[in-house]
Amino acid sequence: MSTVELKYHDQSTSSREVSDEEVPYPEGKLIVSRTDTSGKITHCNQSFVDMSGFEENELIGQPHYILRHPDMPAAAFKDLWDTLKAGNKWKGYVKNLRKDGKYYWVYAVVVPNIRNGKVVGYASVRRKPSRTKVNECIALYKTMLAEEQS
Amino acid sequence: MKFTMTVSPDFSPDYIAGWYIFNTWLQNQTNQAIHLELYNSFDKQREDIKADKIDLIYANPYDASMLIRDKGFVAIASPYRKTDEAVICVNSESEYSCVEDLKSGCTIATADDPEVSTIGMIMLEPADLSKENVTIEELKNYVMVAKSLIGNKADAGFFLKEAFDDMSKFIKSQIKPIVTSQISVIRHTFLIGPDFVNNSGISEEDFRQLINSMHESEKGASTLKSLGFEKWENQDHEEAEFMIDLMDTLVS
Ligand SMILES: Cc1cc2nc3c(=O)[nH]c(=O)nc-3n(C[C@H](O)[C@H](O)[C@H](O)COP(=O)(O)O)c2cc1C
């Protein structure tokens, strides 16, 4: 376990525990959350709460980067936001950070919630990822992160 | 004016009579002539939906999207505490104990149910399986899916959880589930179309009230029982829209 200082796009920072212990994805479940247009969490399901290690009231109203893991390259989330802002569906593999410092991998699909022609928020539905794909992403994200930090 | 009601073709044959009883109840309550048209093909039913031949429908979440977003249908209710879940089973003697044990080139038995197939294929993704590297054996019903597993023809089979639960003890002793979905937000929904809303003389609100309080009368309660439902649970527009957003994340 080590403590890492995380910096987010809105210039805020937080120091978080990070450990190298993985928590397996819960079989058969979908992890669901919704955000407002700025990325603040407005709803989440029980699997989301359980996997994050936070209490529901610690999550609602918080920016979604509360789950951001330092091993994730910024470019992945830039791609996510660019895709959503263009009105499209984003899909990708994400390593998430739990409150206790452990991590879990998901395959996420994020869509804009469009009501009467307007984007009112976003929803993300995660499912159990393929290990092969996760291993590819571990290598890919490492390279991307190294480039971003150089 | 005569209206047409239909039911998603994935309903259990045990409830055919129940849907006729529900239709009679509905006609009595609304004083409208409603014809019940049952289909055994998803495609034929979709054709008729597209041709605006349907006014009321108990729809699967798959079709709810098209009905609500393209056809202007309104969500009224879903059966209380009933959500659509899928189970992947294998022969009980087989060595497969989890999805990851299934390998490229395996055979998957399915009944013609697009929703169960979608959820089933998602549960196969962790094993790097997709439509491209499995053989799909499409069968008429879930009993045939079970038989294909028992006869060692298919490696794994997709079941609607409800259909799996209702299988005989004898069949269940010969197959074993390796994963069950717990999605809990995706459900069948009763919807009414714009023609019914505009021309039946019953407001959407009154209709909603009628359906959602159905269990309170003796006749209503016994009708619900014949459908296998305890009662209806209100589905408002936003709940239905959100379910469609979720479905959208599950279809590629
Ligand atoms: C609906 C939705 C769900 C999201 N889910 C996650 C998530 O599970 N984990 C994560 O790190 N970021 C998630 N994000 C992206 C975050 O908003 C954010 O861009 C990311 O954590 C990077 O944070 P930063 O850009 O502030 O550094 C999600 C965004 C949206 C719109």
Side-chain angles (χ1 to χ4, degrees):
Chain A
M1 190 83 81
S2 59
T3 307
V4 175
E5 193 71 11
L6 287 168
K7 199 164 187 252
Y8 305 108
H9 74 282
D10 57 5
Q11 309 313 321
S12 67
T13 58
S14 79
S15 63
R16 295 277 296 267
E17 306 272 278
V18 178
S19 90
D20 57 8
E21 197 179 323
E22 177 165 8
V23 176
Y25 193 98
E27 291 293 336
K29 295 197 179 173
L30 295 179
I31 298 177
V32 181
S33 65
R34 283 177 88 166
T35 70
D36 62 15
T37 50
S38 75
K40 283 205 177 84
I41 301 168
T42 54
H43 298 82
C44 53
N45 72 352
Q46 192 57 44
S47 304
F48 185 93
V49 176
D50 293 345
M51 280 306 275
S52 73
F54 287 95
E55 300 291 330
E56 184 167 354
N57 61 19
E58 295 176 300
L59 293 164
I60 303 295
Q62 292 304 307
H64 221 307
Y65 60 58
I66 191 167
L67 298 184
R68 170 156 197 193
H69 197 283
D71 292 350
M72 283 299 293
F77 296 116
K78 180 173 186 310
D79 182 51
L80 177 152
W81 281 102
D82 289 349
T83 306
L84 291 177
K85 290 265 149 87
N88 296 322
K89 200 191 280 191
W90 183 86
K91 301 168 188 180
Y93 296 85
V94 180
K95 183 177 186 176
N96 276 326
L97 179 63
R98 292 163 49 96
K99 186 182 184 182
D100 60 10
K102 295 174 187 167
Y103 67 90
Y104 58 99
W105 277 97
V106 300
Y107 174 62
V109 182
V110 192
V111 291
N113 304 131
I114 300 166
R115 304 289 182 267
N116 304 315
K118 275 212 201 87
V119 175
V120 298
Y122 303 102
S124 174
V125 177
R126 294 93 176 167
R127 49 215 221 212
K128 187 177 181 187
S130 129
R131 232 338 101 173
T132 323
K133 296 280 167 49
V134 167
N135 290 336
E136 285 169 20
C137 284
I138 292 174
L140 175 67
Y141 291 169
K142 212 179 225 167
T143 321
M144 288 166 73
L145 206 57
E147 266 169 32
E148 285 172 10
Q149 285 164 353
S150 68
Chain B
M1 193 154 175
K2 195 170 170 95
F3 299 104
T4 301
M5 174 160 74
T6 188
V7 178
S8 172
D10 54 11
F11 66 89
S12 159
D14 301 352
Y15 298 122
I16 291 183
W19 285 106
Y20 281 99
I21 297 168
F22 176 65
N23 189 38
T24 306
W25 177 86
L26 203 55
Q27 294 187 79
N28 286 335
Q29 299 293 316
T30 59
N31 276 320
Q32 300 292 317
I34 304 171
H35 162 72
L36 178 65
E37 181 79 35
L38 295 179
Y39 297 80
N40 49 31
S41 144
F42 286 91
D43 289 339
K44 178 75 182 84
Q45 186 179 66
R46 266 187 216 136
E47 253 173 52
D48 283 0
I49 293 169
K50 286 189 180 135
D52 297 326
K53 289 185 186 164
I54 304 298
D55 304 299
L56 305 97
I57 178 168
Y58 180 65
N60 64 66
Y62 229 92
D63 291 336
S65 173
M66 182 241 298
L67 287 155
I68 293 174
R69 292 199 176 157
D70 303 340
K71 291 288 174 187
F73 275 65
V74 183
I76 299 295
S78 288
Y80 179 65
R81 284 202 171 151
K82 257 195 201 222
T83 63
D84 299 345
E85 306 292 352
V87 187
I88 300 181
C89 290
V90 296
N91 186 307
S92 56
E93 313 263 272
S94 99
E95 281 167 10
Y96 304 128
S97 64
C98 64
V99 164
E100 284 83 352
D101 290 340
L102 296 164
K103 297 291 172 233
S104 171
C106 68
T107 300
I108 308 292
T110 69
D112 171 28
D113 183 334
E115 190 195 1
V116 171
S117 295
T118 299
I119 304 174
M121 287 313 294
I122 283 174
M123 291 196 293
L124 290 183
E125 285 172 354
D128 294 314
L129 298 177
S130 68
K131 288 219 166 79
E132 276 74 58
N133 62 0
V134 300
T135 305
I136 303 282
E137 186 190 21
E138 199 169 291
L139 299 165
K140 279 223 173 70
N141 55 51
Y142 291 113
V143 172
M144 290 176 73
V145 173
K147 288 194 171 146
S148 177
L149 296 177
I150 294 165
N152 287 311
K153 281 203 217 111
D155 296 284
F158 295 164
F159 295 83
L160 179 70
K161 178 158 189 306
E162 219 178 353
F164 172 76
D165 290 342
D166 288 346
M167 292 258 162
S168 72
K169 266 204 182 115
F170 181 66
I171 288 183
K172 270 201 226 163
S173 70
Q174 299 175 81
I175 59 178
K176 66 176 177 194
I178 52 169
V179 63
T180 303
S181 73
Q182 298 175 59
I183 296 177
S184 72
V185 277
I186 290 179
R187 37 209 327 216
H188 278 55
T189 306
F190 190 48
L191 308 167
I192 53 176
D195 253 3
F196 188 81
V197 173
N198 296 329
N199 302 319
S200 65
I202 307 153
S203 71
E204 180 195 322
E205 267 332 295
D206 287 349
F207 191 78
R208 191 177 290 282
Q209 174 64 23
L210 173 70
I211 296 296
N212 286 313
S213 63
M214 188 175 168
H215 60 283
E216 289 165 12
S217 75
E218 208 174 298
K219 190 101 187 111
S222 73
T223 302
L224 280 164
K225 203 165 168 220
S226 65
L227 290 171
F229 302 162
E230 196 182 320
K231 57 181 177 180
W232 293 100
E233 192 172 0
N234 189 45
Q235 274 277 322
D236 67 27
H237 192 63
E238 179 50 32
E239 283 167 313
E241 283 283 350
F242 188 56
M243 183 181 79
I244 296 170
D245 284 338
L246 295 187
M247 276 310 282
D248 191 32
T249 69
L250 302 182
V251 297
S252 43

